[in-house]
Amino acid sequence: MTQEIEHTHLPIRGLNLHVAQVGKDELGTVVFLHGFPEIWYTWRHQMLAVAAAGYRAIAPDSRGYGLSDQPPEDVEATWEDLVADVLAILDTLSIQKVFLVGKDYGAIPAYDFALRHPDRTRGVTCLGIPFSPAPFDFTTMPEGFYILRWREPGGRAEADFGRHDVRRVVRTIYILFSRAEVPIAEEGQEIMDLADLSTPLPPWFTEEDLDAYAALFEKSGFRYPLQIPYRALHRMKMQLDAKFQVPVLMVMGEKDYCFKFPGFEEAMRSGAMETFAPDLKIVYIPEGSHFVQEQFPEQVNDLLLGFLKDHP
């Protein structure tokens, strides 16, 4: 499936970032930003679909992920770096204006880029994470909530992950994150204890897909991925006066466990997002999980291509 996709490394702001690309840019360019525990490969279905429709698809491995370089350990991870990386990629490739597609934590720099650089943005599509004008507040969640566990700086997540090989860690997270329930450990449990090797993979995620993810995380490990997003969520900026000047498409699987995060459903169903994004369309996929772009690729591709064509 991925033979048509080309792979390069670009010198971006002191790091060599891995970038996957396909397509000829007849109608424009689409930049895909992944979440956790993802890399460029999460967008394989969408990249080929937009390329076939006449667009150029670009999917970087975020700094510290996959085949991209690791920032030095003493450098603080920031959301501003992710936005600056996207801008530098566009400048390096001499691309003036793009559509942005973000998933999971990749939605945060996608939204931020569109707000900061509307002159470089044709539109933004985000999956799973609504726009938030303030840092996410998880103080009402139980102690065993995975984000509270993984954002601890003392190495608890590293110790939990370190009990298993990389393939087992990615496998477990994919199983947990594809469910409708929020991953929460009981007292005496760690997050990796919530699934074992007898737990089947989601039917739409193959052993070969798992191999592709595991190979890339073997290279990067989890040190930086735990910094961004989990240990930087509290450093999201206040943007109470944000106003998108470009069209926004929000896609949410109704069985995405993130839908149960505090304030997420209200932000989407109450019309609160329209305060910040006047040209907003929200689409719900009834059986969609957190990995809706891999679970229902044709449905997501149709929505994405429709959005691109509606905003030439």
Side-chain angles (χ1 to χ4, degrees):
M1 172 183 285
T2 59
Q3 305 91 305
E4 305 170 49
I5 297 175
E6 300 177 354
H7 299 269
T8 57
H9 278 81
L10 301 178
I12 301 295
R13 304 178 60 243
L15 300 174
N16 285 315
L17 298 190
H18 169 250
V19 176
Q21 301 184 65
V22 63
K24 301 296 186 185
D25 192 16
E26 296 160 354
L27 298 175
T29 298
V30 186
V31 175
F32 294 89
L33 305 177
H34 64 76
F36 178 93
E38 299 167 330
I39 28 74
W40 75 268
Y41 185 82
T42 193
W43 297 115
R44 59 200 180 279
H45 304 300
Q46 287 69 47
M47 292 179 73
L48 295 178
V50 302
Y55 297 86
R56 180 183 187 181
I58 297 174
D61 283 345
S62 179
R63 54 171 48 215
Y65 279 71
L67 299 178
S68 289
D69 281 354
Q70 297 273 321
E73 289 197 37
D74 60 349
V75 174
E76 182 179 73
T78 71
W79 297 105
E80 288 77 9
D81 276 328
L82 302 188
V83 175
D85 287 348
V86 173
L87 184 62
I89 288 171
L90 300 190
D91 290 343
T92 299
L93 297 175
S94 300
I95 299 171
Q96 180 56 34
K97 210 164 186 178
V98 297
F99 290 99
L100 290 163
V101 183
K103 153 81 196 312
D104 186 71
Y105 88 78
I108 298 173
Y111 288 133
D112 285 354
F113 187 95
L115 288 169
R116 296 183 194 189
H117 304 288
D119 58 318
R120 306 294 295 271
T121 309
R122 294 176 66 180
V124 58
T125 297
C126 288
L127 287 69
I129 302 291
F131 172 73
S132 177
F136 297 124
D137 182 5
F138 296 119
T139 55
T140 61
M141 299 298 285
E143 180 277 333
F145 175 47
Y146 79 98
I147 288 180
L148 297 182
R149 291 282 182 89
W150 290 353
R151 78 179 184 184
E152 293 180 17
R156 182 169 188 167
E158 289 89 335
D160 185 17
F161 289 8
R163 296 180 294 146
H164 308 289
D165 61 30
V166 166
R167 193 176 193 276
R168 170 75 179 274
V169 172
V170 175
R171 184 182 194 278
T172 299
I173 296 173
Y174 247 82
I175 290 168
L176 297 180
F177 284 13
S178 66
R179 295 172 176 172
E181 299 304 318
V182 178
I184 297 174
E186 300 292 336
E187 186 175 352
Q189 271 189 326
E190 297 298 334
I191 301 301
M192 288 296 107
D193 297 329
L194 297 178
D196 59 30
L197 290 175
S198 69
T199 311
L201 286 168
W204 40 264
F205 191 71
T206 68
E207 293 288 342
E208 291 74 22
D209 293 332
L210 178 57
D211 289 341
Y213 279 92
L216 293 170
F217 274 99
E218 283 283 0
K219 195 269 183 188
S220 68
F222 294 101
R223 178 192 67 83
Y224 194 85
L226 286 167
Q227 304 300 316
I228 291 278
Y230 301 107
R231 294 169 189 169
L233 286 172
H234 66 287
R235 293 199 296 273
M236 290 172 60
K237 291 199 170 181
M238 298 288 286
Q239 302 182 84
L240 299 179
D241 59 350
K243 190 72 71 175
F244 286 91
Q245 300 176 43
V246 300
V248 178
L249 171 65
M250 173 75 207
V251 179
M252 190 81 187
E254 290 195 326
K255 293 191 175 178
D256 186 333
Y257 72 92
C258 289
F259 217 17
K260 296 184 171 72
F261 283 1
F264 273 42
E265 184 170 7
E266 181 183 2
M268 296 173 63
R269 296 201 191 272
S270 69
M273 272 189 69
E274 295 175 8
T275 304
F276 306 99
D279 188 355
L280 171 70
K281 181 179 181 181
I282 299 177
V283 178
Y284 301 97
I285 297 181
E287 296 299 314
S289 72
H290 189 59
F291 301 107
V292 68
Q293 83 286 1
E294 295 179 276
Q295 180 187 13
F296 295 118
E298 293 84 4
Q299 203 167 341
V300 171
N301 293 350
D302 287 346
L303 290 169
L304 177 57
L305 289 171
F307 179 72
L308 300 180
K309 291 171 183 174
D310 286 345
H311 301 94

